[in-house]
Amino acid sequence: MNILITGCNGQLGNEMQLLEREYPQHTYYNTDVEELDITNQQAIEAFVNEHAIDGIVNCAAYTAVDKAESDNQLCTALNTEAPAYLAMAIEKRGGWLIQISTDYVFNGTKHTPYVETDTPCPDSVYGSTKLAGEFGVLKFCQRTMIIRTAWLYSTFGNNFVKTMIRLGKEKSELGVIFDQIGTPTYARDLASVIMTAIEKGIQPGIYHFSNEGVTSWYDFTKAIHRIAGITSCHVRPLHTAEYPTPAHRPNYSVLDKTKIKQTYGIEVPYWEESLAVCIHKLLAQ
């Protein structure tokens, strides 16, 4: 197949590129804004047709959650309009689309893991634009697979894990929020699931994926420091109210992964085991 990967310079896009080597039977077109502006509908149509694209993995998104509150226009262009353009273009070729979405489509007021049939109720510009993006791809491409994920980190780009390692080495004390609960997701594990879906065949619909288990940002940080061997930084728990941000964050955003596990016959790694793999790679660098 000829597969278009958007957002190839991001965390997930970079992990996808590493995994492509294990599936050399396909031709991959790894693009970021320099190669393909996905907010330009004509450019997408031309690219998809010129390269006879069979499927698209849309890893591109506006992910600056707080900045999105005051940058609605660009956030909407990338998270809502662009996915619809991709869906329209690939539908004309009878192809498939994998759209990456987020736990932010929920407001986080539940106390049990979110399933795919729960009614979305975003409470931020980022969450609202990502949900609108879901509606668009489902409307315009029959063979659409949406994967909602959460708390993404990797060895690439800027992310919570790398920030906490850096701050842990620089500071003697850190305050980290303890009353927001979720599950970290190693982008490598998400990329692996995407490749499995492509190989086994796209089953349209909405799916949830993160690593297994549950933690808070505070406990996540404690695990990061322990695995990275950082002992000189005292981490203290903060309430969300003590650390106000422009965008509301879900207090509880644990995702139920039963559907994707059963559909594709996969085992999902425990969050702390994947974290250890990632940190050991970071330290080796």
Side-chain angles (χ1 to χ4, degrees):
M1 286 185 285
N2 293 329
I3 301 172
L4 167 61
I5 312 284
T6 64
C8 73
N9 293 332
Q11 294 193 79
L12 182 57
N14 268 297
E15 294 289 2
M16 289 292 293
Q17 290 185 76
L18 290 180
L19 272 182
E20 285 166 13
R21 300 165 194 172
E22 297 176 22
Y23 301 89
Q25 67 271 34
H26 305 304
T27 302
Y28 303 94
Y29 295 89
N30 298 297
T31 67
D32 217 293
V33 66
E34 294 82 11
E35 296 82 21
L36 176 62
D37 177 5
I38 61 169
T39 65
N40 182 330
Q41 187 173 9
Q42 287 73 33
I44 291 171
E45 292 231 355
F47 191 99
V48 165
N49 290 326
E50 180 185 343
H51 299 287
I53 299 298
D54 299 298
I56 300 173
V57 183
N58 184 25
C59 304
Y62 187 112
T63 57
V65 174
D66 288 324
K67 200 177 170 193
E69 293 296 308
S70 57
D71 196 10
N72 200 316
Q73 190 172 353
L74 181 57
C75 191
T76 300
L78 277 168
N79 292 350
T80 302
E81 294 165 6
Y85 297 154
L86 291 166
M88 287 184 228
I90 199 65
E91 176 68 14
K92 288 178 184 174
R93 291 190 51 79
W96 50 263
L97 171 68
I98 297 178
Q99 166 72 6
I100 307 304
S101 194
T102 173
D103 58 316
Y104 277 72
V105 300
F106 302 112
N107 62 10
T109 55
K110 258 188 93 174
H111 303 289
T112 54
Y114 281 95
V115 294
E116 291 82 356
T117 51
D118 282 329
T119 303
C121 41
D123 199 13
S124 65
V125 169
Y126 170 67
S128 298
T129 57
K130 289 296 284 183
L131 179 61
E134 289 187 9
F135 291 148
V137 292
L138 289 171
K139 177 180 178 181
F140 294 116
C141 179
Q142 290 182 49
R143 296 173 67 196
T144 288
M145 180 179 182
I146 292 169
I147 306 177
R148 295 176 181 149
T149 192
W151 296 28
L152 206 65
Y153 68 89
S154 70
T155 57
F156 299 99
N158 297 316
N159 58 66
F160 187 81
V161 172
K162 291 167 85 170
T163 299
M164 290 303 112
I165 290 175
R166 176 176 58 81
L167 293 177
K169 290 176 177 177
E170 292 174 358
K171 296 181 178 291
S172 59
E173 183 174 286
L174 267 181
V176 183
I177 289 168
F178 80 95
D179 57 358
Q180 291 176 17
I181 308 298
T183 310
T185 308
Y186 184 20
R188 174 82 176 184
D189 293 335
L190 177 56
S192 180
V193 168
I194 291 168
M195 285 302 201
T196 297
I198 292 170
E199 287 310 295
K200 292 191 173 182
I202 302 301
Q203 300 292 326
I206 298 172
Y207 297 84
H208 289 171
F209 182 84
S210 65
N211 283 117
E212 292 284 21
V214 177
T215 192
S216 69
W217 292 110
Y218 167 77
D219 295 294
F220 190 17
T221 304
K222 294 287 280 186
I224 291 165
H225 285 188
R226 185 178 69 253
I227 294 166
I230 296 168
T231 57
S232 57
C233 180
H234 171 64
V235 182
R236 56 187 176 83
L238 291 180
H239 289 90
T240 297
E242 295 177 78
Y243 192 79
T245 56
H248 175 265
R249 266 105 173 132
N251 282 92
Y252 185 90
S253 61
V254 180
L255 301 174
D256 187 297
K257 295 161 281 284
T258 304
K259 182 179 176 182
I260 202 163
K261 287 191 285 189
Q262 291 179 345
T263 302
Y264 289 103
I266 56 169
E267 275 193 41
V268 179
Y270 177 56
W271 73 267
E272 208 167 319
E273 290 166 2
S274 287
L275 177 64
V277 171
C278 180
I279 289 178
H280 292 146
K281 280 186 188 175
L282 279 172
L283 297 180
Q285 291 173 3

